[in-house]
Amino acid sequence: MVVAGAGIIGCAIAYELSRRGVSCLLLDSRRAGMAATNAAAGILAPLAEFRRPDALVHLGLASLRLYPEWVERLREQAPEVDVEFARNGVLRVAFDGEEMAELRAGLRYQAELGMELIELDGATVREVEPRLSPRIVGGVLCPEEGQVSNQMFTIALSRAARKRGVRIIESCPALGFRARDGRVVAVRTPQGEFACDRLVLAAGPWTRPLARKLGVDVPTRPMRGQMLAMGGMVTPIHAVVWGARGYLVPRANGLVFAGATVEDVGFRLRTTKAGLAQVRRAACELVPQLRHASEHFSWVGLRPGSPDGLPIMGPLPGWENVTVATGHFRNGILLAPITGQLIAQAILDGRPGEALAPFDPGRFTLSNTS
Ligand SMILES: Cc1cc2nc3c(=O)[nH]c(=O)nc-3n(C[C@H](O)[C@H](O)[C@H](O)COP(=O)(O)OP(=O)(O)OC[C@H]3O[C@@H](n4cnc5c(N)ncnc54)[C@H](O)[C@@H]3O)c2cc1C
């Protein structure tokens, strides 16, 4: 079994396989967890851009609810790593009546979601988070949502997987495949060929060029995100704060992460003046005092997007033993546990479970191979 791509998704799948007694080889072209996984803000918010309870929201909720048990298990299996998991709530805020109406629209689904959502007026928003702008007219607090250190969580996952027999080889890109009778039998790399009875493609936005080598279009595309770490003042917020133009995440080290742009600019992995200015503006709109904060560092990552905004997970059309897991776009950190669980189970069962149906890679493409 080979998993190509050791971001949080590949690591979660390898970890779940190892828990089910299947050890695998995890390949990464660079260092494990250093692409989008390293760039993320770590927000665990299935209702982040919530309109109505669709397949993605339900998947996100299921994954959020797996987090406590995953964190507990990782605490035993990689006790030296603190993954900084916190259910500190996500506070969505509105600057005018229109934004508030959008937030309010979600409230009626509380019972269906089994999720507490608390509507707050502007004054109460500032009681909860005194540093927020006086221009905020109201908000909705979801206490069950929260955050994790995406970096530490992925390190813990990869260490726990290693302890269970997963072999991780870094700086070792999958370059191509050897196939026989509709099955991939080996992965070609600069370090030679690795035989495999099953293959998982979990290479983020690079899954598309990889799948093309098997004659299949998996239409994930890179969506650039730029972020800023601000600090030098007392942590101004306690919950994750989400506005229409940006968000703020209070991290355990006292810094506030401000994000993020969403740009369709191909694989161009660099920050821009305009992008960072946009992030800074949105941050200061939420907490005006951040105007005086120092900017510690900025960074950029490429989210794996998809044409319909849903992850692309399940069997690769036309191939008996290849599975895809990508397209997690803005929610890959949130969705890692449920993805690991569903994909590992699908591999063991030899077919995808019902829960994967909305995310079937076959919804976009027919295989060119037979
Ligand atoms: C700025 C920003 C903020 C974000 N904030 C959040 C957030 O708050 N919450 C949330 O849930 N999500 C967030 N995300 C999204 C999240 O980071 C991604 O959805 C997630 O990291 C995707 O994980 P992945 O493993 O699929 O991809 P990646 O992390 O990109 O990993 C793919 C891996 O595949 C490797 N690879 C590529 N080609 C090959 C090859 N040929 N062979 C072998 N390996 C290969 C790469 O080196 C890489 O390590 C954010 C993303 C960005 C950019």
Side-chain angles (χ1 to χ4, degrees):
M1 162 83 64
V2 174
V3 179
I8 194 168
I9 297 300
C11 287
I13 293 167
Y15 172 69
E16 272 299 280
L17 284 167
S18 72
R19 288 201 332 113
R20 290 161 165 78
V22 180
S23 63
C24 63
L25 175 62
L26 186 50
L27 299 177
D28 201 284
S29 49
R30 303 194 304 169
R31 278 176 55 208
M34 290 310 286
T37 294
N38 186 55
I43 304 170
L44 304 177
L47 306 186
E49 291 156 307
F50 177 62
R51 298 283 175 275
R52 69 201 132 71
D54 56 13
L56 183 59
V57 167
H58 284 293
L59 191 75
L61 274 174
S63 204
L64 178 68
R65 287 169 181 161
L66 287 176
Y67 252 95
E69 79 186 60
W70 276 54
V71 167
E72 200 47 52
R73 241 191 281 120
L74 289 173
R75 198 170 284 144
E76 284 161 24
Q77 294 160 356
E80 67 285 6
V81 186
D82 177 4
V83 303
E84 297 169 19
F85 171 63
R87 270 183 286 198
N88 47 337
V90 173
L91 175 58
R92 289 168 188 77
V93 295
F95 282 85
D96 58 35
E98 202 179 314
E99 287 181 12
M100 194 59 215
E102 277 201 21
L103 292 183
R104 221 176 256 132
L107 291 171
R108 75 185 116 126
Y109 298 113
Q110 279 191 82
E112 183 180 335
L113 298 170
M115 197 90 162
E116 188 189 11
L117 296 171
I118 305 166
E119 183 178 352
L120 308 173
D121 61 21
T124 320
V125 162
R126 278 176 295 280
E127 263 170 43
V128 175
E129 292 289 354
R131 308 275 183 173
L132 289 186
S133 165
R135 289 183 42 238
I136 288 171
V137 299
V140 170
L141 176 66
C142 179
E144 200 185 324
E145 294 177 318
Q147 65 186 81
V148 73
S149 163
N150 32 297
Q151 296 89 357
M152 291 305 165
F153 187 76
T154 310
I155 288 172
L157 269 183
S158 60
R159 286 194 188 172
R162 268 197 175 109
K163 283 182 190 165
R164 290 176 168 272
V166 172
R167 202 172 145 217
I168 304 178
I169 309 184
E170 299 183 314
S171 307
C172 185
L175 298 176
F177 307 100
R178 193 149 56 80
R180 194 184 311 131
D181 303 329
R183 298 176 64 84
V184 170
V185 294
V187 179
R188 295 200 170 102
T189 79
Q191 299 185 27
E193 275 195 4
F194 294 98
C196 65
D197 57 352
R198 284 215 68 98
L199 170 69
V200 179
L201 300 179
W206 298 275
T207 303
R208 189 174 205 172
L210 263 185
R212 270 211 195 106
K213 293 181 193 290
L214 294 169
V216 184
D217 187 30
V218 175
T220 177
R221 58 189 294 134
M223 299 298 284
R224 185 166 75 183
Q226 303 186 44
M227 292 194 60
L228 267 177
M230 305 172 101
M233 57 191 289
V234 177
T235 303
I237 50 168
H238 307 94
V240 172
V241 178
W242 188 285
R245 286 158 290 284
Y247 57 74
L248 297 173
V249 186
R251 296 290 287 230
N253 58 8
L255 295 177
V256 174
F257 286 3
T261 61
V262 180
E263 303 162 84
D264 189 0
V265 293
F267 284 93
R268 265 179 279 170
L269 191 62
R270 59 181 175 81
T271 56
T272 62
K273 265 192 187 167
L276 293 177
Q278 179 192 323
V279 172
R280 194 176 301 118
R281 253 193 324 275
C284 296
E285 183 189 34
L286 292 166
V287 173
Q289 279 195 13
L290 283 172
R291 246 180 273 286
H292 310 295
S294 49
E295 288 176 14
H296 285 238
F297 46 92
S298 58
W299 67 97
V300 61
L302 300 173
R303 310 171 182 93
S306 75
D308 57 8
L310 297 180
I312 307 172
M313 304 194 287
L316 186 71
W319 292 90
E320 251 179 59
N321 65 339
V322 184
T323 303
V324 177
T326 188
H328 294 78
F329 190 36
R330 301 193 83 175
N331 288 299
I333 309 304
L334 168 68
L335 296 173
I338 193 77
T339 300
Q341 207 168 77
L342 293 175
I343 295 290
Q345 200 53 49
I347 287 170
L348 288 185
D349 293 346
R351 60 184 163 73
E354 265 305 296
L356 282 173
F359 313 109
D360 182 8
R363 72 189 187 276
F364 299 117
T365 179
L366 288 175
S367 167
N368 302 331
T369 55
S370 55

